[in-house]
Amino acid sequence: MYTHPEKLLLDALAAGRYMRRDLYRAPDDYEVFFNRPWHGLAKSELDVMLDELVDARLLQIRRGGKALSTVELTVLGGKSWEQAFQVDWSRYFDSVWSPRGRRGLSLSIVSVSESICWQAAEILLDEMLRANFPGLVAKARTTRWHWSPWKVFPAASSLALDFRALGDSFDAAFDKAWIRASEVRDGWKKSAFD
């Protein structure tokens, strides 16, 4: 169906709109930036593939000079990505941080599954309490969720967790807690190598 580099490009672009120059990053930098395996293409090969994906209506490139243009999946490209990776949205959650007062942070966990939100929140709160950074569920609500420019969920659950943030030790504790909580969404999509 897709060549390996095409599948990797669709996966890297699935969650948003990116600068074209980000696709040209060196392999290690690319993998850190996208949190995905590198596509393995030279710049000229990548340019050809991007043009092919635009011609197939899977990608949209908004011009702003070659390196400054933005690249994103179209709705057709998003559906192709979902099919290629056998996405199970009922297992997925995402999050957004926002400041809360002078020393506090609020983390919103969003998912189409309220159960997944609560599972992730329970693990996060438990792990942060163990690290002496207690948090609390500030509010739960239903929301419209824009996962990406091409994917919008009309209804999703959102939980807001409030924490007092106290610098580097908080960040290290939260990183560890987040890794544990992320296990809740294991299996939400197939690997690029399946």
Coordinates of all heavy atoms in Angstrom, one line a residue, residues 5 18 130 145 164 182:
P5 N 9.1 4.8 3.6 CA 9.3 6.2 3.9 C 8.0 7.0 3.9 O 7.8 7.9 4.7 CB 10.3 6.7 2.8 CG 11.0 5.4 2.4 CD 10.0 4.3 2.5
Y18 N 3.5 21.3 10.2 CA 4.9 21.5 10.5 C 5.6 22.3 9.4 O 5.1 22.3 8.3 CB 5.7 20.1 10.6 CG 5.1 19.3 11.8 CD1 4.1 18.4 11.7 CD2 5.7 19.5 13.1 CE1 3.6 17.7 12.7 CE2 5.2 18.8 14.2 CZ 4.2 17.9 14.0 OH 3.7 17.2 15.1
R130 N 3.6 10.1 45.3 CA 4.7 9.4 45.8 C 6.0 10.3 45.8 O 6.9 10.1 46.6 CB 5.0 8.2 45.0 CG 4.0 7.1 45.1 CD 4.3 6.0 44.1 NE 3.2 5.1 43.9 CZ 3.1 3.9 44.2 NH1 4.1 3.3 44.8 NH2 2.0 3.2 43.9
W145 N -12.7 18.5 20.5 CA -11.3 18.2 20.5 C -10.7 18.3 19.1 O -11.0 17.5 18.2 CB -11.0 16.9 21.1 CG -9.6 16.5 21.3 CD1 -8.5 17.3 21.3 CD2 -9.1 15.1 21.4 NE1 -7.4 16.5 21.5 CE2 -7.7 15.2 21.5 CE3 -9.7 13.9 21.4 CZ2 -7.0 14.0 21.7 CZ3 -9.0 12.7 21.6 CH2 -7.6 12.8 21.7
R164 N 1.2 22.0 42.0 CA 2.1 23.1 42.3 C 3.5 22.8 41.8 O 4.0 21.7 42.1 CB 2.2 23.3 43.8 CG 0.9 23.9 44.4 CD 1.1 24.4 45.8 NE 2.1 25.5 46.0 CZ 2.0 26.8 45.7 NH1 0.8 27.2 45.3 NH2 2.9 27.6 45.9
S182 N 1.5 7.0 30.3 CA 1.4 6.8 28.8 C 1.2 5.3 28.5 O 0.8 5.0 27.4 CB 2.7 7.3 28.1 OG 2.7 8.8 28.3

